Amino acid sequence: MSRGARPARRRRHGVRAVVAGALVVVLAALVYVPVVLLAPLAPATAAAAEWTAPAQPGAQLTFPSYGATAVQAVGWDESLTTSGSTTPLPIASISKVVTALVVLDARPLDGGDGPSLTLDADDVALYEAYRSQDGKVAPMTLGQQLTEKQMLQVSLIESANNYADALARWAFGDTAGFVAAATAWLAENGLTSTTLVEPTGMSPSNTSTATDLVRLGEIALAEPEVAAIVATPTTTVPGVGVIENSNELLGLDGVVGIKTGTLDEAGACLLFAADYTIAGEPVTVVGVMLGGVDHDSLDADVQRLLTSVSGAFQTVTATTAGDVWASYELPWGAGTEAVAATDASRLVWGDVTVTASIETESVTTGAAGDDVGRVRFQIGDEEVDVPLVLDRALAEPDAWWRLTHPDEVLAAG
């Protein structure tokens, strides 16, 4: 009897082993499945796409061979370009721009016409004094009353020396008082290479450099009263009559001022400004030419220079919305791109350096349009940031992939 019981016991032991093994498998599955299905996945890093900086032509400006020239687009510091002499040269009636600004600094119009001036005998005597020197003059009569604004108009539009002198004497008492005020004003505004010894420009000792005069032009345009006067083609002043602007380029090629000058020692001179709209943006160009043979040839040279300056502007497009800047590839086969969310373009002058640097986040999943980094452009002196977003959704792997790739799933933990 005892011998016959042994096989039964062995069978029971075998059943227990199978059951135990099955329990182990079940328990393992109960642990493995949720761990693998719920384990966090390793994030993927982006692979940056190749990028080539946009090609740009260099600026080729057309300068005359004489005297001194400088030109600059306001707000584009890198556009300041010069040619010819760098030492101070006689500036003739461009001096009157300084005179107007110095007078307005002491006696501002404050949006009106300013106080009235009554011309006296000393003022009237200036007419003959300047006419005898072949200087440009306008009629004056004893007791004539004009506003400060009208005096400025005759000085700048008609370029009448007697009116510029009378205006300076009214504001500062005498020539010495004006020179002291002008010297202080020039220093205050950083025009350290400019010298005035009198208010009209009849003296060749009124000198400046081309770069100083470009800065003077910018200051003049920033003074509303001066900017309006130098842009006026013609007007009528009581007691003087119709006065016409001596700047024959006014209204041509966008020219809005500023002041002519003529003197034997200076030649033909022009401090000029022109307004343009380039790629939808307003651009003001300020420049000066000194030492021309005559105003006809100088005006032609200014027109050629302005054409070359405006032609040196270009729009640099660093990226457009949708451009691919990086890509993501996940082990389970999902993939997407990081694309520019917006356009990035800038109007530049000449040949500027453009660089790009990319910052991206590591991701495992995401929806289309999710922010995943940025691309930072350096366009000349300007920094431009463009967000990077996912081009399309990045889906999680399905359960089967997780269950069949435990090493890759669990490696993330």
Side-chain angles (χ1 to χ4, degrees), residues 127 129-138 159-162 202 263:
Y127 179 89
Y130 283 107
R131 194 166 74 92
S132 67
Q133 302 174 57
D134 292 327
K136 195 167 187 180
V137 293
S159 198
N161 294 293
N162 52 332
M202 286 293 291
L263 194 67

Side-chain angles (χ1 to χ4, degrees), residues 216-231:
L216 174 65
E218 292 182 3
I219 296 170
L221 293 179
E223 180 65 51
E225 289 87 358
V226 173
I229 291 172
V230 299

Side-chain angles (χ1 to χ4, degrees), residues 235-312:
T235 191
T236 301
V237 177
V240 180
V242 176
I243 57 175
E244 295 183 355
N245 204 305
S246 57
N247 183 359
E248 295 185 359
L249 286 183
L250 194 63
L252 300 176
D253 299 323
V255 173
V256 293
I258 300 174
K259 188 72 189 76
T260 59
T262 309
L263 194 67
D264 288 344
E265 296 86 350
C269 306
L270 181 62
L271 177 61
F272 57 88
D275 287 342
Y276 301 97
T277 299
I278 302 175
E281 293 189 36
V283 175
T284 297
V285 175
V286 177
V288 66
M289 277 190 191
L290 304 176
V293 174
D294 54 49
H295 278 284
D296 286 343
S297 60
L298 180 134
D299 288 350
D301 288 336
V302 168
Q303 289 176 298
R304 280 190 286 270
L305 176 59
L306 284 172
T307 298
S308 66
V309 171
S310 60

Side-chain angles (χ1 to χ4, degrees), residues 62-356:
T62 306
F63 287 108
S65 59
Y66 52 78
T69 301
V71 66
Q72 181 174 16
V74 178
W76 278 269
D77 293 344
E78 69 280 4
S79 70
L80 177 61
T81 311
T82 63
S83 175
S85 175
T86 58
T87 59
L89 299 175
I91 60 174
S93 284
I94 294 174
S95 303
K96 294 183 178 76
V97 177
V98 177
T99 299
L101 291 168
V102 173
V103 169
L104 285 170
D105 189 55
R107 305 286 187 95
L109 296 182
D110 293 327
D113 293 338
S116 293
L117 292 72
T118 301
L119 300 181
D120 58 21
D122 290 338
D123 295 323
V124 174
L126 294 173
Y127 179 89
E128 286 298 334
Y130 283 107
R131 194 166 74 92
S132 67
Q133 302 174 57
D134 292 327
K136 195 167 187 180
V137 293
M140 276 183 164
T141 57
L142 185 63
Q144 180 182 356
Q145 288 191 328
L146 295 171
T147 64
E148 179 184 357
K149 182 176 181 179
Q150 289 169 332
M151 295 287 289
L152 287 165
Q153 288 174 327
V154 183
S155 300
L156 292 173
I157 298 173
E158 185 72 5
S159 198
N161 294 293
N162 52 332
Y163 275 80
D165 199 338
L167 184 64
R169 290 168 186 255
W170 166 77
F172 301 104
D174 55 23
T175 300
F178 164 76
V179 170
T183 300
W185 184 89
L186 290 167
E188 180 182 342
N189 285 277
L191 303 177
T192 56
S193 296
T194 304
T195 301
L196 257 65
V197 300
E198 50 84 27
T200 70
M202 286 293 291
S203 170
S205 295
N206 281 10
T207 60
S208 186
T209 60
T211 51
D212 258 22
L213 291 177
V214 167
R215 172 61 184 149
L216 174 65
E218 292 182 3
I219 296 170
L221 293 179
E223 180 65 51
E225 289 87 358
V226 173
I229 291 172
V230 299
T232 302
T234 182
T235 191
T236 301
V237 177
V240 180
V242 176
I243 57 175
E244 295 183 355
N245 204 305
S246 57
N247 183 359
E248 295 185 359
L249 286 183
L250 194 63
L252 300 176
D253 299 323
V255 173
V256 293
I258 300 174
K259 188 72 189 76
T260 59
T262 309
L263 194 67
D264 288 344
E265 296 86 350
C269 306
L270 181 62
L271 177 61
F272 57 88
D275 287 342
Y276 301 97
T277 299
I278 302 175
E281 293 189 36
V283 175
T284 297
V285 175
V286 177
V288 66
M289 277 190 191
L290 304 176
V293 174
D294 54 49
H295 278 284
D296 286 343
S297 60
L298 180 134
D299 288 350
D301 288 336
V302 168
Q303 289 176 298
R304 280 190 286 270
L305 176 59
L306 284 172
T307 298
S308 66
V309 171
S310 60
F313 280 95
Q314 61 175 313
T315 299
V316 170
T317 300
T319 192
T320 56
D323 283 350
V324 176
W325 282 89
S327 60
Y328 292 94
E329 295 295 335
L330 281 300
W332 54 91
T336 187
E337 285 81 38
V339 299
T342 62
D343 298 340
S345 61
R346 290 295 184 272
L347 182 66
V348 303
W349 188 90
D351 183 8
V352 300
T353 300
V354 183
T355 60

